[in-house]
PDB file of all heavy atoms in Angstrom:
ATOM      1  N   ALA A   1       2.354  24.201  -8.187  1.00 95.00           N
ATOM      2  CA  ALA A   1       3.109  22.956  -8.300  1.00 95.00           C
ATOM      3  C   ALA A   1       2.279  21.762  -7.860  1.00 95.00           C
ATOM      4  O   ALA A   1       1.352  21.893  -7.065  1.00 95.00           O
ATOM      5  CB  ALA A   1       4.370  23.047  -7.444  1.00 95.00           C
ATOM      6  N   ASN A   2       2.632  20.599  -8.393  1.00 96.00           N
ATOM      7  CA  ASN A   2       2.091  19.311  -7.966  1.00 96.00           C
ATOM      8  C   ASN A   2       3.269  18.404  -7.669  1.00 96.00           C
ATOM      9  O   ASN A   2       4.291  18.456  -8.361  1.00 96.00           O
ATOM     10  CB  ASN A   2       1.231  18.662  -9.060  1.00 96.00           C
ATOM     11  CG  ASN A   2      -0.071  19.391  -9.288  1.00 96.00           C
ATOM     12  OD1 ASN A   2      -0.602  20.030  -8.393  1.00 96.00           O
ATOM     13  ND2 ASN A   2      -0.568  19.306 -10.505  1.00 96.00           N
ATOM     14  N   LEU A   3       3.134  17.542  -6.654  1.00 96.00           N
ATOM     15  CA  LEU A   3       4.162  16.575  -6.312  1.00 96.00           C
ATOM     16  C   LEU A   3       3.514  15.197  -6.286  1.00 96.00           C
ATOM     17  O   LEU A   3       2.510  14.994  -5.601  1.00 96.00           O
ATOM     18  CB  LEU A   3       4.781  16.909  -4.950  1.00 96.00           C
ATOM     19  CG  LEU A   3       5.895  15.986  -4.463  1.00 96.00           C
ATOM     20  CD1 LEU A   3       7.113  16.071  -5.375  1.00 96.00           C
ATOM     21  CD2 LEU A   3       6.286  16.352  -3.037  1.00 96.00           C
ATOM     22  N   HIS A   4       4.077  14.261  -7.049  1.00 95.00           N
ATOM     23  CA  HIS A   4       3.525  12.911  -7.164  1.00 95.00           C
ATOM     24  C   HIS A   4       4.553  11.885  -6.723  1.00 95.00           C
ATOM     25  O   HIS A   4       5.744  12.039  -6.990  1.00 95.00           O
ATOM     26  CB  HIS A   4       3.129  12.603  -8.620  1.00 95.00           C
ATOM     27  CG  HIS A   4       2.156  13.565  -9.198  1.00 95.00           C
ATOM     28  ND1 HIS A   4       0.811  13.494  -8.956  1.00 95.00           N
ATOM     29  CD2 HIS A   4       2.334  14.628 -10.018  1.00 95.00           C
ATOM     30  CE1 HIS A   4       0.198  14.478  -9.596  1.00 95.00           C
ATOM     31  NE2 HIS A   4       1.106  15.178 -10.250  1.00 95.00           N
ATOM     32  N   ASP A   5       4.082  10.823  -6.085  1.00 93.00           N
ATOM     33  CA  ASP A   5       4.919   9.695  -5.681  1.00 93.00           C
ATOM     34  C   ASP A   5       4.609   8.540  -6.627  1.00 93.00           C
ATOM     35  O   ASP A   5       3.472   8.092  -6.717  1.00 93.00           O
ATOM     36  CB  ASP A   5       4.598   9.301  -4.237  1.00 93.00           C
ATOM     37  CG  ASP A   5       5.555   8.265  -3.682  1.00 93.00           C
ATOM     38  OD1 ASP A   5       6.138   7.484  -4.464  1.00 93.00           O
ATOM     39  OD2 ASP A   5       5.712   8.230  -2.447  1.00 93.00           O
ATOM     40  N   THR A   6       5.629   8.063  -7.356  1.00 90.00           N
ATOM     41  CA  THR A   6       5.424   6.975  -8.317  1.00 90.00           C
ATOM     42  C   THR A   6       5.876   5.632  -7.770  1.00 90.00           C
ATOM     43  O   THR A   6       5.925   4.658  -8.505  1.00 90.00           O
ATOM     44  CB  THR A   6       6.172   7.263  -9.633  1.00 90.00           C
ATOM     45  OG1 THR A   6       7.579   7.262  -9.363  1.00 90.00           O
ATOM     46  CG2 THR A   6       5.752   8.575 -10.237  1.00 90.00           C
ATOM     47  N   GLY A   7       6.254   5.577  -6.502  1.00 87.00           N
ATOM     48  CA  GLY A   7       6.751   4.337  -5.908  1.00 87.00           C
ATOM     49  C   GLY A   7       8.259   4.370  -5.771  1.00 87.00           C
ATOM     50  O   GLY A   7       8.791   4.363  -4.677  1.00 87.00           O
ATOM     51  N   SER A   8       8.963   4.431  -6.896  1.00 89.00           N
ATOM     52  CA  SER A   8      10.426   4.457  -6.855  1.00 89.00           C
ATOM     53  C   SER A   8      10.992   5.862  -6.997  1.00 89.00           C
ATOM     54  O   SER A   8      12.191   6.068  -6.830  1.00 89.00           O
ATOM     55  CB  SER A   8      10.999   3.566  -7.953  1.00 89.00           C
ATOM     56  OG  SER A   8      10.601   4.050  -9.227  1.00 89.00           O
ATOM     57  N   SER A   9      10.125   6.832  -7.310  1.00 93.00           N
ATOM     58  CA  SER A   9      10.603   8.209  -7.465  1.00 93.00           C
ATOM     59  C   SER A   9       9.497   9.198  -7.099  1.00 93.00           C
ATOM     60  O   SER A   9       8.334   8.840  -6.954  1.00 93.00           O
ATOM     61  CB  SER A   9      11.069   8.464  -8.903  1.00 93.00           C
ATOM     62  OG  SER A   9       9.983   8.360  -9.803  1.00 93.00           O
ATOM     63  N   LEU A  10       9.909  10.459  -6.957  1.00 95.00           N
ATOM     64  CA  LEU A  10       8.982  11.568  -6.757  1.00 95.00           C
ATOM     65  C   LEU A  10       9.079  12.466  -7.976  1.00 95.00           C
ATOM     66  O   LEU A  10      10.163  12.655  -8.528  1.00 95.00           O
ATOM     67  CB  LEU A  10       9.357  12.370  -5.508  1.00 95.00           C
ATOM     68  CG  LEU A  10       9.365  11.621  -4.180  1.00 95.00           C
ATOM     69  CD1 LEU A  10       9.915  12.521  -3.074  1.00 95.00           C
ATOM     70  CD2 LEU A  10       7.972  11.147  -3.824  1.00 95.00           C
ATOM     71  N   THR A  11       7.949  13.015  -8.398  1.00 97.00           N
ATOM     72  CA  THR A  11       7.938  13.923  -9.536  1.00 97.00           C
ATOM     73  C   THR A  11       7.250  15.219  -9.128  1.00 97.00           C
ATOM     74  O   THR A  11       6.119  15.192  -8.634  1.00 97.00           O
ATOM     75  CB  THR A  11       7.195  13.307 -10.740  1.00 97.00           C
ATOM     76  OG1 THR A  11       7.842  12.090 -11.103  1.00 97.00           O
ATOM     77  CG2 THR A  11       7.208  14.246 -11.935  1.00 97.00           C
ATOM     78  N   ALA A  12       7.946  16.329  -9.327  1.00 97.00           N
ATOM     79  CA  ALA A  12       7.376  17.653  -9.078  1.00 97.00           C
ATOM     80  C   ALA A  12       7.152  18.325 -10.427  1.00 97.00           C
ATOM     81  O   ALA A  12       8.028  18.294 -11.292  1.00 97.00           O
ATOM     82  CB  ALA A  12       8.316  18.503  -8.219  1.00 97.00           C
ATOM     83  N   MET A  13       5.956  18.903 -10.610  1.00 97.00           N
ATOM     84  CA  MET A  13       5.643  19.613 -11.845  1.00 97.00           C
ATOM     85  C   MET A  13       5.231  21.035 -11.467  1.00 97.00           C
ATOM     86  O   MET A  13       4.305  21.220 -10.684  1.00 97.00           O
ATOM     87  CB  MET A  13       4.541  18.892 -12.605  1.00 97.00           C
ATOM     88  CG  MET A  13       4.931  17.474 -12.997  1.00 97.00           C
ATOM     89  SD  MET A  13       3.613  16.551 -13.783  1.00 97.00           S
ATOM     90  CE  MET A  13       3.610  17.340 -15.376  1.00 97.00           C
ATOM     91  N   LEU A  14       5.938  22.021 -12.013  1.00 96.00           N
ATOM     92  CA  LEU A  14       5.687  23.422 -11.717  1.00 96.00           C
ATOM     93  C   LEU A  14       5.364  24.173 -12.998  1.00 96.00           C
ATOM     94  O   LEU A  14       6.033  23.978 -14.022  1.00 96.00           O
ATOM     95  CB  LEU A  14       6.912  24.067 -11.064  1.00 96.00           C
ATOM     96  CG  LEU A  14       7.299  23.546  -9.691  1.00 96.00           C
ATOM     97  CD1 LEU A  14       8.272  22.401  -9.808  1.00 96.00           C
ATOM     98  CD2 LEU A  14       7.881  24.659  -8.871  1.00 96.00           C
ATOM     99  N   GLN A  15       4.371  25.024 -12.956  1.00 95.00           N
ATOM    100  CA  GLN A  15       3.993  25.840 -14.110  1.00 95.00           C
ATOM    101  C   GLN A  15       4.842  27.104 -14.112  1.00 95.00           C
ATOM    102  O   GLN A  15       4.704  27.951 -13.235  1.00 95.00           O
ATOM    103  CB  GLN A  15       2.526  26.196 -14.052  1.00 95.00           C
ATOM    104  CG  GLN A  15       1.612  25.006 -14.146  1.00 95.00           C
ATOM    105  CD  GLN A  15       0.152  25.399 -14.031  1.00 95.00           C
ATOM    106  OE1 GLN A  15      -0.211  26.562 -14.112  1.00 95.00           O
ATOM    107  NE2 GLN A  15      -0.695  24.412 -13.821  1.00 95.00           N
ATOM    108  N   VAL A  16       5.729  27.229 -15.106  1.00 92.00           N
ATOM    109  CA  VAL A  16       6.631  28.372 -15.200  1.00 92.00           C
ATOM    110  C   VAL A  16       6.607  28.976 -16.610  1.00 92.00           C
ATOM    111  O   VAL A  16       7.626  29.064 -17.278  1.00 92.00           O
ATOM    112  CB  VAL A  16       8.070  27.990 -14.791  1.00 92.00           C
ATOM    113  CG1 VAL A  16       8.169  27.714 -13.301  1.00 92.00           C
ATOM    114  CG2 VAL A  16       8.569  26.781 -15.579  1.00 92.00           C
ATOM    115  N   PRO A  17       5.431  29.417 -17.071  1.00 89.00           N
ATOM    116  CA  PRO A  17       5.348  29.938 -18.441  1.00 89.00           C
ATOM    117  C   PRO A  17       6.208  31.183 -18.620  1.00 89.00           C
ATOM    118  O   PRO A  17       6.294  32.026 -17.729  1.00 89.00           O
ATOM    119  CB  PRO A  17       3.862  30.269 -18.602  1.00 89.00           C
ATOM    120  CG  PRO A  17       3.374  30.496 -17.214  1.00 89.00           C
ATOM    121  CD  PRO A  17       4.170  29.563 -16.349  1.00 89.00           C
ATOM    122  N   GLY A  18       6.855  31.263 -19.762  1.00 84.00           N
ATOM    123  CA  GLY A  18       7.647  32.443 -20.096  1.00 84.00           C
ATOM    124  C   GLY A  18       9.020  32.481 -19.466  1.00 84.00           C
ATOM    125  O   GLY A  18       9.711  33.497 -19.561  1.00 84.00           O
ATOM    126  N   ILE A  19       9.450  31.401 -18.832  1.00 89.00           N
ATOM    127  CA  ILE A  19      10.766  31.375 -18.200  1.00 89.00           C
ATOM    128  C   ILE A  19      11.670  30.424 -18.977  1.00 89.00           C
ATOM    129  O   ILE A  19      11.294  29.293 -19.279  1.00 89.00           O
ATOM    130  CB  ILE A  19      10.663  30.943 -16.726  1.00 89.00           C
ATOM    131  CG1 ILE A  19       9.781  31.941 -15.967  1.00 89.00           C
ATOM    132  CG2 ILE A  19      12.046  30.849 -16.092  1.00 89.00           C
ATOM    133  CD1 ILE A  19       9.566  31.596 -14.519  1.00 89.00           C
ATOM    134  N   ASP A  20      12.869  30.904 -19.323  1.00 90.00           N
ATOM    135  CA  ASP A  20      13.844  30.075 -20.026  1.00 90.00           C
ATOM    136  C   ASP A  20      14.554  29.157 -19.047  1.00 90.00           C
ATOM    137  O   ASP A  20      14.704  29.488 -17.865  1.00 90.00           O
ATOM    138  CB  ASP A  20      14.894  30.949 -20.721  1.00 90.00           C
ATOM    139  CG  ASP A  20      14.320  31.735 -21.880  1.00 90.00           C
ATOM    140  OD1 ASP A  20      13.367  31.246 -22.523  1.00 90.00           O
ATOM    141  OD2 ASP A  20      14.820  32.845 -22.140  1.00 90.00           O
ATOM    142  N   GLU A  21      15.048  28.019 -19.549  1.00 93.00           N
ATOM    143  CA  GLU A  21      15.738  27.069 -18.687  1.00 93.00           C
ATOM    144  C   GLU A  21      16.978  27.676 -18.042  1.00 93.00           C
ATOM    145  O   GLU A  21      17.352  27.327 -16.929  1.00 93.00           O
ATOM    146  CB  GLU A  21      16.086  25.775 -19.438  1.00 93.00           C
ATOM    147  CG  GLU A  21      17.116  25.922 -20.533  1.00 93.00           C
ATOM    148  CD  GLU A  21      16.534  26.362 -21.880  1.00 93.00           C
ATOM    149  OE1 GLU A  21      15.316  26.524 -22.018  1.00 93.00           O
ATOM    150  OE2 GLU A  21      17.342  26.558 -22.807  1.00 93.00           O
ATOM    151  N   LYS A  22      17.614  28.630 -18.715  1.00 94.00           N
ATOM    152  CA  LYS A  22      18.805  29.262 -18.144  1.00 94.00           C
ATOM    153  C   LYS A  22      18.470  30.174 -16.966  1.00 94.00           C
ATOM    154  O   LYS A  22      19.348  30.523 -16.181  1.00 94.00           O
ATOM    155  CB  LYS A  22      19.578  30.027 -19.220  1.00 94.00           C
ATOM    156  CG  LYS A  22      18.866  31.239 -19.776  1.00 94.00           C
ATOM    157  CD  LYS A  22      19.715  31.907 -20.842  1.00 94.00           C
ATOM    158  CE  LYS A  22      19.144  33.114 -21.499  1.00 94.00           C
ATOM    159  NZ  LYS A  22      17.823  33.525 -21.290  1.00 94.00           N
ATOM    160  N   ASP A  23      17.207  30.518 -16.804  1.00 93.00           N
ATOM    161  CA  ASP A  23      16.769  31.375 -15.703  1.00 93.00           C
ATOM    162  C   ASP A  23      16.166  30.581 -14.547  1.00 93.00           C
ATOM    163  O   ASP A  23      15.564  31.152 -13.644  1.00 93.00           O
ATOM    164  CB  ASP A  23      15.753  32.405 -16.201  1.00 93.00           C
ATOM    165  CG  ASP A  23      16.369  33.373 -17.205  1.00 93.00           C
ATOM    166  OD1 ASP A  23      17.539  33.748 -17.007  1.00 93.00           O
ATOM    167  OD2 ASP A  23      15.695  33.732 -18.182  1.00 93.00           O
ATOM    168  N   LEU A  24      16.314  29.243 -14.575  1.00 95.00           N
ATOM    169  CA  LEU A  24      15.794  28.373 -13.524  1.00 95.00           C
ATOM    170  C   LEU A  24      16.935  27.712 -12.769  1.00 95.00           C
ATOM    171  O   LEU A  24      17.972  27.385 -13.352  1.00 95.00           O
ATOM    172  CB  LEU A  24      14.907  27.273 -14.118  1.00 95.00           C
ATOM    173  CG  LEU A  24      13.557  27.707 -14.650  1.00 95.00           C
ATOM    174  CD1 LEU A  24      12.936  26.590 -15.472  1.00 95.00           C
ATOM    175  CD2 LEU A  24      12.638  28.110 -13.511  1.00 95.00           C
ATOM    176  N   LYS A  25      16.740  27.510 -11.467  1.00 96.00           N
ATOM    177  CA  LYS A  25      17.723  26.825 -10.633  1.00 96.00           C
ATOM    178  C   LYS A  25      16.968  25.777  -9.812  1.00 96.00           C
ATOM    179  O   LYS A  25      15.985  26.103  -9.153  1.00 96.00           O
ATOM    180  CB  LYS A  25      18.421  27.818  -9.724  1.00 96.00           C
ATOM    181  CG  LYS A  25      19.489  27.220  -8.846  1.00 96.00           C
ATOM    182  CD  LYS A  25      20.163  28.314  -8.025  1.00 96.00           C
ATOM    183  CE  LYS A  25      21.211  27.733  -7.110  1.00 96.00           C
ATOM    184  NZ  LYS A  25      21.817  28.773  -6.261  1.00 96.00           N
ATOM    185  N   VAL A  26      17.429  24.528  -9.873  1.00 96.00           N
ATOM    186  CA  VAL A  26      16.800  23.427  -9.144  1.00 96.00           C
ATOM    187  C   VAL A  26      17.858  22.827  -8.225  1.00 96.00           C
ATOM    188  O   VAL A  26      18.949  22.482  -8.674  1.00 96.00           O
ATOM    189  CB  VAL A  26      16.263  22.352 -10.114  1.00 96.00           C
ATOM    190  CG1 VAL A  26      15.679  21.179  -9.353  1.00 96.00           C
ATOM    191  CG2 VAL A  26      15.239  22.950 -11.068  1.00 96.00           C
ATOM    192  N   GLU A  27      17.509  22.722  -6.925  1.00 95.00           N
ATOM    193  CA  GLU A  27      18.438  22.162  -5.946  1.00 95.00           C
ATOM    194  C   GLU A  27      17.710  21.138  -5.080  1.00 95.00           C
ATOM    195  O   GLU A  27      16.554  21.351  -4.712  1.00 95.00           O
ATOM    196  CB  GLU A  27      18.985  23.238  -5.011  1.00 95.00           C
ATOM    197  CG  GLU A  27      19.864  24.260  -5.678  1.00 95.00           C
ATOM    198  CD  GLU A  27      20.349  25.305  -4.691  1.00 95.00           C
ATOM    199  OE1 GLU A  27      19.507  25.923  -4.022  1.00 95.00           O
ATOM    200  OE2 GLU A  27      21.582  25.463  -4.587  1.00 95.00           O
ATOM    201  N   VAL A  28      18.411  20.045  -4.758  1.00 94.00           N
ATOM    202  CA  VAL A  28      17.908  19.065  -3.801  1.00 94.00           C
ATOM    203  C   VAL A  28      18.962  18.958  -2.714  1.00 94.00           C
ATOM    204  O   VAL A  28      20.124  18.682  -2.980  1.00 94.00           O
ATOM    205  CB  VAL A  28      17.679  17.682  -4.447  1.00 94.00           C
ATOM    206  CG1 VAL A  28      17.290  16.663  -3.395  1.00 94.00           C
ATOM    207  CG2 VAL A  28      16.614  17.768  -5.516  1.00 94.00           C
TER     208      VAL A  28
END
């Protein structure tokens, strides 16, 4: 994963090849 600060927001990018969106859970 990479985490970037854009000033007004944070962006996290994770490499998840072969995983469907229905098999992912994101919580803050």
Side-chain angles (χ1 to χ4, degrees):
N2 290 332
L3 181 65
H4 303 279
D5 188 334
T6 65
S8 62
S9 65
L10 300 173
T11 301
M13 299 176 74
L14 295 90
Q15 296 178 13
V16 290
I19 300 178
D20 291 329
E21 67 275 358
K22 67 181 179 352
D23 295 322
L24 288 167
K25 182 177 178 183
V26 177
E27 294 179 305
V28 174

